[in-house]
Amino acid sequence: MKKVAVDAMGGDFAPLEIVLGGIQAVRDYKIPIVLVGDSEQIRKILADNGEDANSLIEVIHASQVIEMGEHPGMAFRKKKDASISVAARLVKQGKCDAVVAPGSTGAAVTAGLLGIGRIKGIERPAIVTPIPNEKGGHTFLIDAGASANPKPENLLQNALLGYNYAKYVRHIKEPRVGLLNIGSESTKGSALMTETYELLSKQTWFPFAGNAEGRDIPTGEFDVVVSDGFTGNVVLKFGEGLGKLFITLLKDSIYRGGVLAKLGGLLLKPALKKYMMKKFDYAEEGGAPLLGIDGTLIISHGSSRAKAIRNAIRLANQVAEEEIPTLVKNTLNVAIESE
Amino acid sequence: MKKVAVDAMGGDFAPLEIVLGGIQAVRDYKIPIVLVGDSEQIRKILADNGEDANSLIEVIHASQVIEMGEHPGMAFRKKKDASISVAARLVKQGKCDAVVAPGSTGAAVTAGLLGIGRIKGIERPAIVTPIPNEKGGHTFLIDAGASANPKPENLLQNALLGYNYAKYVRHIKEPRVGLLNIGSESTKGSALMTETYELLSKQTWFPFAGNAEGRDIPTGEFDVVVSDGFTGNVVLKFGEGLGKLFITLLKDSIYRGGVLAKLGGLLLKPALKKYMMKKFDYAEEGGAPLLGIDGTLIISHGSSRAKAIRNAIRLANQVAEEEIPTLVKNTLNVAIESE
């Protein structure tokens, strides 16, 4: 098991839900954790739950917090003792193997970039997010918002990161990597995309499966879909909103459809939960890894509760096990030597 | 009623489904139509359906067709007698008020741009597409793919077009216009978006409601969401794919959930159709207007069948009634005078 530092002060329900999630991860998976934040509050929650003497739980005090509204870069530089900064430093110093960062995505990306540092050869980190697909698995969208104005080289690097993630962490045998664009032909789309298409076609690190359109993300025809962070972020949030709309309309159909529809809804509910809702429940995954940094960092939603945090810690352990940074460094070295 | 030219050769099911859709529009709404394409085939379908002598149906022969795989601009210039070119010319010459163009979006945009022509002051046309929202209405996304590399000025013009469409064609009282971006602050996103934000804040044609995030599209907080054509196209197609996935998972829940779930599904089916499926049925709307051209053109899906075409003709009539080009010209003139 890897040791996971958790920013216990991040997100809307910190520290209570974060600490409870940490306790669940320790109990369910025996993953050792370090809770970083206001030690007095954290210790009280641990004591209330009978976990004040668990040898798998450490507490490290941090006196500051980066708030949602703050400029991430400035706040990170100023608040040396912010919980997220201290957690990132634990990874940088080799005292922990991974960080779970709930709350501000900007603060988490900055902590990864400045606190842990980039992999040599990767210019910008990228967020990889799973989207459920028709084949029963997930399509991994990279980048979901770390870098809004990338260059073709950055997208090539995203593709390499996503490929390694799909293959080694998610155990997809031969991941199909596609480029998110507005048509299947190589000449389609913006200048950024046609140039990236060329780079992806020329590289020899992994097979390139061509352009993916928006509708291809949920089909599962591609395992990894490479995107600029702007489009990726819009797509991800749009999917979130559309998911909510579907649920609303489903409920509407049940409540407005009369007695028979209500009965139908009641009978269908357990199956809906099992086969549908679970797939769209963010907490099942718990967070999205920031790839391209020289360590493991999982970004969790600001609205994360205990279950999401438990699963984010589980994911952090999984990602750290596979040592993506080493895999990527090896690929990049090979590429440099063969040139 | 306005007179609508229909490219009877466009799309996967042409000419049969297109002609049948035309017949339905004439029967249901008394909209006069001109069917453009292979007159022999068209007349045969009309005769088979007892409509060879309907005074509201005209047939104009066109000997060529622009195929899905062709380069739209080159095909349009070369094939002077293509059905879509002839249909666009009918509007240019004032013989028809609108075109319905099923099939290749590229060919339809080219026909609008070169065959009908731009509104003076509008550099690039834009496609406006309705997305169902939580408030029971639609959010209008503009541009859904006509222009993949716009400048800030183009997005400002899209906003004006979308505002007029929402207000005058869709009768939304005071449309809220938002800019699709990756955060709500004015400084968020790409250079394109921050510059556009500034332009939108300074103009006085309509109130600007600020940045919209992906998740705001389905909430209905904005009536018009302005986007570059790249992101808009990805979002639209992603929504299509995600809709299919939801339906798949819903069916999975019914079929895999045992006898009770099956019974529940049966009881719920009529309400689902009425309150949910209908909202996501593309054919209900039938097509998406290309705005910014000096006339009316509705782009329909290549997979359109009769019902979609009937509704696209109804929409064409509606859009043509409101004379958006005149509204836009008036706004642009006012703006120029006041400078």
Side-chain angles (χ1 to χ4, degrees):
Chain A
M1 288 291 167
K2 298 290 179 178
K3 197 185 226 181
V4 180
V6 182
D7 172 6
M9 309 311 283
D12 307 337
F13 306 110
L16 179 63
E17 293 284 333
I18 314 299
V19 175
L20 292 179
I23 293 172
Q24 287 182 16
V26 169
R27 286 181 188 165
D28 297 349
Y29 309 118
K30 313 266 173 285
I31 300 171
I33 61 167
V34 178
L35 295 165
V36 183
D38 182 326
S39 60
E40 200 175 318
Q41 285 188 61
I42 295 171
R43 282 191 202 286
K44 168 135 195 349
I45 301 164
L46 288 174
D48 288 349
N49 290 275
E51 292 289 6
D52 39 347
N54 192 321
S55 65
L56 291 177
I57 305 178
E58 247 179 88
V59 177
I60 288 185
H61 184 70
S63 62
Q64 295 171 304
V65 175
I66 296 182
E67 308 288 348
M68 287 297 289
E70 291 187 87
H71 185 282
M74 272 159 55
F76 190 85
R77 283 185 182 85
K78 218 175 55 188
K79 295 184 169 175
K80 299 286 180 207
D81 203 38
S83 51
I84 179 76
S85 318
V86 174
R89 217 174 295 142
L90 289 171
V91 172
K92 180 76 179 177
Q93 296 165 342
K95 292 176 185 162
C96 283
D97 304 295
V99 183
V100 167
S104 155
T105 301
V109 172
T110 308
L113 200 54
L114 304 183
I116 298 176
R118 290 179 289 117
I119 296 174
K120 216 184 145 184
I122 301 288
E123 278 174 76
R124 300 182 189 189
I127 301 169
V128 58
T129 313
I131 294 175
N133 67 34
E134 295 262 359
K135 295 191 174 160
H138 288 99
T139 303
F140 296 97
L141 181 70
I142 184 167
D143 164 42
S147 176
N149 289 309
K151 291 171 289 177
E153 295 72 33
N154 304 134
L155 294 186
L156 171 65
Q157 292 162 8
N158 285 358
L160 175 64
L161 293 169
Y163 175 80
N164 275 297
Y165 183 71
K167 184 158 182 170
Y168 298 104
V169 180
R170 310 308 288 238
H171 306 298
I172 295 169
K173 239 185 177 169
E174 204 43 71
R176 282 175 57 82
V177 178
L179 177 65
L180 189 58
N181 205 337
I182 58 173
S184 52
E185 305 86 353
S186 64
T187 53
K188 276 277 183 173
S190 55
L192 172 65
M193 290 308 164
T194 50
E195 282 174 47
T196 305
Y197 190 99
E198 223 188 299
L199 286 183
L200 283 168
S201 302
K202 282 197 299 199
Q203 58 75 36
T204 54
W205 301 329
F206 53 83
F208 171 50
N211 281 337
E213 293 193 75
R215 69 168 71 88
D216 298 325
I217 301 174
T219 58
E221 211 200 305
F222 298 87
D223 301 295
V224 176
V225 170
V226 176
S227 164
D228 63 277
F230 184 90
T231 312
N233 186 272
V234 168
V235 157
L236 193 71
K237 288 178 180 162
F238 177 62
E240 247 181 76
L242 207 56
K244 275 188 196 153
L245 175 61
F246 274 100
I247 305 300
T248 302
L249 292 177
L250 190 57
K251 284 183 181 162
D252 269 12
S253 309
I254 293 170
Y255 291 112
R256 294 168 63 188
V259 179
L260 290 181
K262 280 200 190 76
L263 178 62
L266 212 63
L267 292 172
L268 192 53
K269 203 174 171 185
L272 280 178
K273 265 202 165 156
K274 186 169 168 191
Y275 296 107
M276 187 162 176
M277 304 303 194
K278 221 178 150 167
K279 289 225 192 285
F280 290 99
D281 181 6
Y282 162 80
E284 289 291 325
E285 189 82 7
L290 181 73
L291 299 182
I293 54 167
D294 208 358
T296 299
L297 185 146
I298 308 295
I299 303 174
S300 291
H301 221 285
S303 63
S304 293
R305 292 191 180 266
K307 182 181 157 196
I309 297 301
R310 180 199 71 165
N311 293 347
I313 293 171
R314 181 183 63 191
L315 181 64
N317 174 64
Q318 248 170 33
V319 176
E321 292 273 5
E322 300 305 336
E323 304 197 5
I324 301 268
T326 309
L327 293 168
V328 170
K329 280 180 207 166
N330 288 343
T331 307
L332 292 176
N333 283 337
V334 166
I336 290 160
E337 280 167 17
S338 73
E339 264 173 16
Chain B
M1 287 292 168
K2 298 290 181 178
K3 198 185 222 179
V4 180
V6 182
D7 173 7
M9 309 310 283
D12 308 338
F13 306 110
L16 180 64
E17 293 284 333
I18 315 299
V19 175
L20 291 178
I23 293 172
Q24 287 182 16
V26 169
R27 287 182 187 165
D28 296 350
Y29 309 118
K30 311 269 175 281
I31 300 171
I33 62 166
V34 178
L35 295 166
V36 183
D38 182 326
S39 60
E40 200 175 317
Q41 286 188 62
I42 295 171
R43 284 193 201 285
K44 168 132 195 354
I45 300 164
L46 288 173
D48 289 349
N49 290 276
E51 293 288 6
D52 38 349
N54 191 320
S55 65
L56 291 178
I57 304 178
E58 248 178 87
V59 178
I60 289 185
H61 184 71
S63 63
Q64 295 172 304
V65 175
I66 296 183
E67 308 288 349
M68 286 297 288
E70 290 187 86
H71 185 281
M74 271 159 57
F76 190 85
R77 283 184 182 85
K78 218 175 55 187
K79 295 184 169 174
K80 299 285 180 205
D81 203 38
S83 52
I84 179 76
S85 318
V86 175
R89 219 174 295 142
L90 288 170
V91 172
K92 179 76 179 176
Q93 296 165 343
K95 291 177 186 163
C96 283
D97 303 296
V99 184
V100 166
S104 155
T105 301
V109 172
T110 308
L113 200 56
L114 304 182
I116 298 176
R118 288 179 291 117
I119 297 174
K120 218 186 143 182
I122 301 288
E123 279 176 76
R124 300 183 188 188
I127 301 169
V128 58
T129 313
I131 294 175
N133 67 34
E134 296 260 0
K135 294 190 175 159
H138 288 101
T139 303
F140 296 97
L141 181 70
I142 184 168
D143 163 45
S147 178
N149 290 309
K151 291 170 290 178
E153 295 73 32
N154 305 133
L155 295 186
L156 170 65
Q157 292 162 9
N158 286 358
L160 176 64
L161 293 168
Y163 175 80
N164 275 296
Y165 183 71
K167 183 157 183 171
Y168 298 104
V169 179
R170 312 307 289 238
H171 306 299
I172 295 168
K173 240 186 179 168
E174 205 42 71
R176 281 175 58 82
V177 178
L179 177 66
L180 189 58
N181 204 338
I182 58 173
S184 52
E185 306 86 352
S186 64
T187 53
K188 275 275 182 173
S190 55
L192 172 65
M193 290 309 164
T194 49
E195 283 174 45
T196 305
Y197 190 100
E198 223 189 298
L199 286 183
L200 283 167
S201 303
K202 281 199 296 200
Q203 57 75 37
T204 54
W205 302 329
F206 52 83
F208 171 50
N211 281 337
E213 293 193 76
R215 68 168 72 89
D216 298 325
I217 301 174
T219 57
E221 212 201 304
F222 298 87
D223 301 295
V224 176
V225 170
V226 176
S227 164
D228 64 277
F230 184 91
T231 312
N233 186 272
V234 168
V235 158
L236 192 71
K237 288 179 179 162
F238 177 61
E240 248 181 75
L242 207 56
K244 274 188 197 154
L245 175 61
F246 275 103
I247 305 301
T248 302
L249 292 177
L250 191 56
K251 284 183 181 162
D252 269 12
S253 308
I254 293 169
Y255 292 113
R256 294 167 63 189
V259 180
L260 290 181
K262 279 200 190 75
L263 178 61
L266 213 62
L267 293 172
L268 191 54
K269 203 175 172 184
L272 280 178
K273 265 202 167 158
K274 188 170 168 191
Y275 298 106
M276 186 160 178
M277 302 306 192
K278 224 180 147 167
K279 288 225 193 285
F280 290 100
D281 181 6
Y282 161 81
E284 289 291 325
E285 188 84 4
L290 181 71
L291 299 181
I293 55 167
D294 207 357
T296 299
L297 186 146
I298 308 295
I299 303 175
S300 292
H301 221 283
S303 62
S304 294
R305 293 191 179 266
K307 182 181 157 196
I309 297 300
R310 181 199 71 163
N311 293 347
I313 293 171
R314 181 183 63 190
L315 180 64
N317 174 64
Q318 249 171 33
V319 176
E321 291 274 6
E322 301 305 335
E323 303 199 3
I324 301 269
T326 310
L327 293 167
V328 171
K329 280 180 208 166
N330 288 343
T331 307
L332 292 176
N333 282 338
V334 166
I336 289 161
E337 279 167 18
S338 72
E339 264 173 17

